[in-house]
């Protein structure tokens, strides 16, 4: 059978000029006959030189997870990140409390879960990283490079946030926490003890969360960042040696967790996520804080009410609520970074990715919701201590986890213990997500360039060391400005654009019907009509809405009162475009390097590589309008436009 198949290929004249595609056809055949185990493009060189037998020395069996639990916990560890702690509770409070859950759950069901499911199934069936998975529609391979570059950019500054957590952890190993008073070398003359700060001192226009002259605020900005020694982004200075040491430790943890592949990294992430769920809920701190609140006044129920109270006015009349819900559900689940595709590519072929998608995405969102109770208990305690409204204390981002929360911890008996627990939680959250992002880069490039796969340890070191060098810019005196710039532009509109093109490529060019058949071959059942409609219409529409919203609501770049110069915004858009332009550049490159007429080149671009022989037979699936009768549709729809 194999010989006759190869003979058929050799009879197609145009493919003689394009031997690489002939090799890919053989690979798919080998995968189908051998349980989809052989995925290296070097398995067979060509029918004439090696025949169709997969017995060469270059045969590579795809590594799989040691245990199913390793995969699940790795996906959960990536999805559950710092945003679950420092962003969701604030958005929930700001946008109508419990009413915010209406658009949040809606977008989870119609877009978040379908995109999550799509990426897991895409990676598992093709057993390839973010770039080479696009052999199903070669013209979209640039999307893979887009998400790989974005994952690399995010690693430049995300590792710095982990280094801050490690620095705080080391600083917590004392009997008296360093952000407790104003007697330290980094404190300014304006430093004010927390017990002396109340609504009268702050005035009517200053919220407590913006008052940076507290001991905790000055420890973060002056003791850790040294931001007072920089005039702005054009005055960075030298890297801080203390943060550099912490960054080195973080990079080495990532390297030794990833260098041997997913079997070793899965064990590391399993330990971390289990440790996180034991400590990260901060149950002890949550219960203890509520007890303290009840000693002064019965505010526990009041804080819970403020977090969960339903205010439908914002949901009904403010489009910002819907924009916040859409962007939060997208970034929270982590679709589009290439991580889910990379992780799923190491699954066994028959794994039930449908169940995994439902389970892991639900756990992620429930974790965000539960974290809000712990966060708001602390915010309520701080508001009560300083006799201000909770809206004056509520904040998000680094200000919450590195200023407000540490200050609250420092007022509790056993503060050192609670501080250690909290910053270990931040470390586990950050490292799990950073491991996912780095694995997406390593898997995506090593699947595309086999020399990197054969030298994984060296390549992993190069990636880790490269992120360290770039991260040095973020640990200078003005490093917070570089970090803010990267946070806004590196993975903002660009990642939304990448996932939009990815959804279009899978749903409209590869085809929802073909994609559903692939899933049926893995799991034994086809996705229901709900999932197919979401993939084809709802999810692309949702992503288009989020892309437009991110552009329209994009204001001037600033950090607190510092407004970035115009040139920094130009640099930011250049960073964003550097990843997005991979899509059109590669599409043009692919079209120009393919053989044949304009129509044949177009067909090659949008046809899966293992179907290239069908192009010369004139049987191009994407050029046809097919009936969806087996899906009980009452009308005809084009597979591709």
């Amino acid at each position: 059978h194999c010989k006759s198949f190869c003979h058929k290929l050799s009879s197609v004249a145009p493919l003689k000029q394009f031997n690489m595609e002939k090799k890919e056809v053989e690979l798919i055949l080998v995968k189908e006959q051998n349980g989809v185990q052989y995925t290296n493009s070097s398995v067979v060189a060509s029918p004439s030189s090696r025949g169709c037998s997969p017995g060469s020395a270059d045969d590579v069996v795809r590594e799989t997870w040691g245990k199913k639990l390793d995969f699940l916990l790795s996906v959960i560890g990536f999805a559950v990140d710092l945003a679950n702690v420092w962003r969701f509770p604030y958005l929930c409070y700001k946008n109508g409390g419990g009413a915010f859950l209406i658009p949040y759950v809606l977008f989870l069901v119609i877009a978040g879960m379908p995109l999550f499911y799509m990426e897991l199934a895409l990676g598992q069936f093709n057993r390839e990283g973010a770039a080479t998975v696009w052999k199903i529609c070669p013209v979209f391979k640039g999307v893979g490079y887009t998400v790989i570059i974005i994952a690399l950019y995010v690693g430049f500054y995300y590792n710095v946030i982990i280094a801050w957590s490690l620095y705080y952890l080391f600083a917590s190993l004392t009997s008296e926490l360093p952000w407790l008073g104003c007697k330290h070398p980094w404190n300014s003359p304006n430093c004010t003890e927390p017990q002396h700060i109340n609504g009268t001192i702050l005035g009517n226009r200053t919220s407590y969360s913006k008052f940076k002259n507290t001991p905790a605020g000055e420890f973060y900005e002056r003791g850790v960042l040294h931001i007072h020694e920089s005039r702005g982004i054009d005055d960075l200075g030298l890297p801080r040696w203390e943060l550099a040491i912490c960054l080195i430790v973080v990079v080495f943890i990532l390297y030794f967790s990833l260098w041997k592949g997913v079997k070793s990294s899965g064990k590391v992430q399993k330990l971390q996520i289990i440790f996180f769920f034991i400590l990260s809920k901060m149950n002890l701190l949550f219960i203890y804080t509520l007890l303290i609140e009840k000693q002064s006044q019965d505010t526990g129920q009041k804080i819970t009410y403020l977090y969960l109270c339903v205010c439908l006015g914002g949901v009904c009349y403010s489009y910002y609520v819907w924009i916040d819900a859409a962007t939060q559900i997208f970034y929270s689940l982590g679709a589009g970074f290439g991580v889910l595709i990379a992780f799923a590519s190491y699954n066994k072929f028959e794994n039930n990715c449908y169940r995994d998608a439902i389970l892991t995405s639900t756990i992620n969102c429930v974790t965000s919701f539960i974290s809000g109770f712990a966060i708001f208990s602390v915010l309520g305690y701080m508001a009560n201590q300083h006799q201000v409204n909770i809206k004056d204390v509520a904040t998000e981002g680094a200000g919450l986890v590195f200023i407000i929360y540490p200050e609250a911890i420092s007022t509790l008996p056993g503060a050192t213990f609670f501080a250690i627990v909290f910053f270990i939680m931040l470390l586990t959250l950050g490292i799990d997500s950073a491991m996912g992002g780095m694995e997406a880069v390593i898997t995506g490039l090593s699947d595309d360039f086999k020399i990197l796969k054969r030298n994984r340890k060296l390549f992993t070191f190069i990636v880790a060391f490269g992120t360290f060098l770039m991260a040095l810019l973020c640990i200078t005196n003005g490093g917070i400005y570089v970090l803010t710039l990267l946070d806004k532009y590196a993975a903002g509109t660009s990642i939304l654009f990448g996932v939009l093109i990815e959804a279009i490529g899978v749903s409209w060019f590869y085809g929802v019907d073909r994609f559903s058949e692939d899933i049926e071959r893995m799991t034994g059942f086809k996705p229901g009509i709900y999932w197919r409609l979401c993939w084809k219409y709802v999810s692309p529409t949702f992503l288009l809405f989020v892309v437009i919203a991110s552009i329209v609501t994009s204001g001037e770049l600033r950090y607190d009162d510092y407004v970035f110069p115009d040139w920094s915004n130009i640099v930011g858009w250049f960073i964003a475009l550097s990843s997005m332009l991979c899509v059109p550049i590669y599409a043009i490159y692919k079209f120009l390097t393919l053989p044949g007429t304009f129509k044949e080149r177009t067909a090659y671009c949008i046809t899966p590589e293992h179907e290239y022989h069908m192009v010369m037979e004139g049987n191009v699936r994407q050029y046809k309008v097919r009936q969806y009768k087996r899906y009980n549709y009452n009308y005809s729809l084009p597979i591709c436009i």
Side-chain angles (χ1 to χ4, degrees), residues 260-298:
K260 288 187 177 181
V262 295
K263 286 188 177 179
S264 61
S265 65
K267 294 177 182 178
V268 173
Q269 288 188 305
K270 179 168 65 176
L271 292 175
Q272 289 180 341
I273 200 66
I274 290 175
F275 192 65
F276 162 73
F277 277 105
I278 292 175
L279 297 179
S280 67
K281 298 305 180 185
M282 299 165 286
N283 288 330
L284 293 176
L285 184 57
F286 172 52
I287 295 172
Y288 198 85
T289 304
L290 285 181
L291 289 175
I292 290 180
E293 290 176 341
K294 290 182 179 180
Q295 289 179 3
S296 57
Q297 54 179 308
D298 190 14

Side-chain angles (χ1 to χ4, degrees), residues 239-548:
R240 307 297 306 176
W241 67 268
E242 306 96 328
L243 292 179
I245 293 176
C246 293
L247 187 61
I248 290 173
V249 173
V250 170
V251 170
F252 268 91
I253 291 174
L254 293 174
Y255 171 70
F256 285 109
S257 299
L258 295 169
W259 70 327
K260 288 187 177 181
V262 295
K263 286 188 177 179
S264 61
S265 65
K267 294 177 182 178
V268 173
Q269 288 188 305
K270 179 168 65 176
L271 292 175
Q272 289 180 341
I273 200 66
I274 290 175
F275 192 65
F276 162 73
F277 277 105
I278 292 175
L279 297 179
S280 67
K281 298 305 180 185
M282 299 165 286
N283 288 330
L284 293 176
L285 184 57
F286 172 52
I287 295 172
Y288 198 85
T289 304
L290 285 181
L291 289 175
I292 290 180
E293 290 176 341
K294 290 182 179 180
Q295 289 179 3
S296 57
Q297 54 179 308
D298 190 14
T299 58
Q301 294 181 352
K302 179 181 178 181
I303 298 306
T304 304
Y305 171 78
L306 288 174
Y307 176 46
L308 297 179
C309 70
V310 177
C311 180
L312 294 175
V315 175
C316 296
Y317 303 112
S318 177
Y319 65 91
Y320 283 105
V321 177
W322 294 85
I323 293 175
D324 284 344
T327 54
Q328 175 63 19
I329 197 65
F330 174 81
Y331 286 112
S332 178
L333 292 177
F337 288 90
V339 179
L340 301 178
I341 294 176
F343 280 167
S345 70
Y346 296 106
N347 274 334
K348 294 180 179 179
F349 184 72
E350 66 278 3
N351 176 65
N352 190 340
C353 55
Y354 170 74
R355 180 182 56 198
D356 295 344
I358 299 297
L359 178 64
T360 52
S361 57
T362 301
I363 290 177
N364 171 70
C365 295
V366 171
T367 301
S368 296
F369 178 71
I370 295 177
S371 297
F373 289 98
I375 296 298
F376 263 78
S377 67
V378 173
L379 295 179
Y381 170 63
M382 293 292 292
N384 183 49
Q385 288 289 101
H386 300 291
Q387 300 177 1
V388 296
N389 294 325
I390 194 171
K391 66 179 181 180
D392 296 323
V393 182
T395 186
E396 61 177 327
L400 174 64
V401 297
F402 293 116
I403 298 178
I404 299 296
Y405 222 103
E407 181 180 330
I409 290 173
S410 66
T411 63
L412 301 176
T416 298
F417 168 77
F418 287 115
I420 292 173
V421 169
F422 178 71
F423 290 114
I424 288 178
M425 180 207 73
L426 292 186
L427 277 175
T428 56
L429 279 175
I431 290 177
D432 276 341
S433 298
M435 286 176 62
M438 193 172 291
E439 184 61 55
V441 176
I442 295 169
T443 298
L445 294 179
S446 61
D447 281 345
D448 202 17
F449 304 98
K450 304 309 174 184
I451 188 174
L452 301 179
K453 178 173 287 188
R454 292 193 293 269
N455 300 275
R456 180 183 172 99
K457 293 182 181 179
L458 177 60
F459 179 51
T460 303
F461 177 79
I462 292 174
V463 173
F465 186 67
T467 58
F468 166 75
L469 291 179
M470 294 302 299
L472 290 177
L473 291 173
C474 297
I475 59 173
T476 57
N477 295 336
I480 187 62
Y481 302 121
V482 179
L483 189 147
T484 303
L485 178 72
L486 289 174
D487 184 48
K488 180 176 178 63
Y489 289 106
T493 304
S494 55
I495 190 65
L496 297 170
F497 169 80
V499 184
L500 173 62
I501 302 300
E502 176 186 294
I504 293 173
V506 173
S507 302
W508 287 90
F509 285 82
Y510 184 60
V512 169
D513 58 337
R514 174 64 64 89
F515 188 52
S516 300
E517 291 168 359
D518 293 345
I519 295 176
E520 184 182 25
R521 290 176 58 190
M522 293 188 295
T523 62
F525 58 88
K526 285 186 178 179
I529 188 173
Y530 165 78
W531 298 103
R532 300 197 298 275
L533 286 175
C534 284
W535 287 329
K536 198 171 185 71
Y537 301 107
V538 181
S539 294
T541 303
F542 164 81
L543 289 168
L544 182 62
F545 163 73
V546 178
V547 169
I548 296 174

Side-chain angles (χ1 to χ4, degrees), residues 172-285:
S172 301
L173 301 177
T174 58
S175 57
E176 181 178 334
L177 296 175
W179 54 84
L180 193 57
C182 293
K183 54 187 177 181
H184 302 284
W186 57 79
N187 290 126
S188 70
N190 296 324
C191 181
T192 307
E193 297 285 352
Q195 59 269 24
H196 299 147
I197 302 175
N198 53 40
T200 303
I201 298 294
L202 292 174
N204 295 328
R205 296 184 179 181
T206 304
S207 65
Y208 187 81
S209 61
K210 301 297 183 183
F211 188 72
K212 298 299 180 67
N213 292 124
T214 62
E218 292 199 347
F219 176 77
Y220 172 65
E221 292 206 335
R222 299 172 65 90
V224 178
L225 303 182
H226 285 253
I227 194 174
H228 62 289
E229 298 179 14
S230 172
R231 296 187 302 271
I233 194 171
D234 51 358
D235 181 27
L236 297 181
L238 297 176
R240 307 297 306 176
W241 67 268
E242 306 96 328
L243 292 179
I245 293 176
C246 293
L247 187 61
I248 290 173
V249 173
V250 170
V251 170
F252 268 91
I253 291 174
L254 293 174
Y255 171 70
F256 285 109
S257 299
L258 295 169
W259 70 327
K260 288 187 177 181
V262 295
K263 286 188 177 179
S264 61
S265 65
K267 294 177 182 178
V268 173
Q269 288 188 305
K270 179 168 65 176
L271 292 175
Q272 289 180 341
I273 200 66
I274 290 175
F275 192 65
F276 162 73
F277 277 105
I278 292 175
L279 297 179
S280 67
K281 298 305 180 185
M282 299 165 286
N283 288 330
L284 293 176
L285 184 57

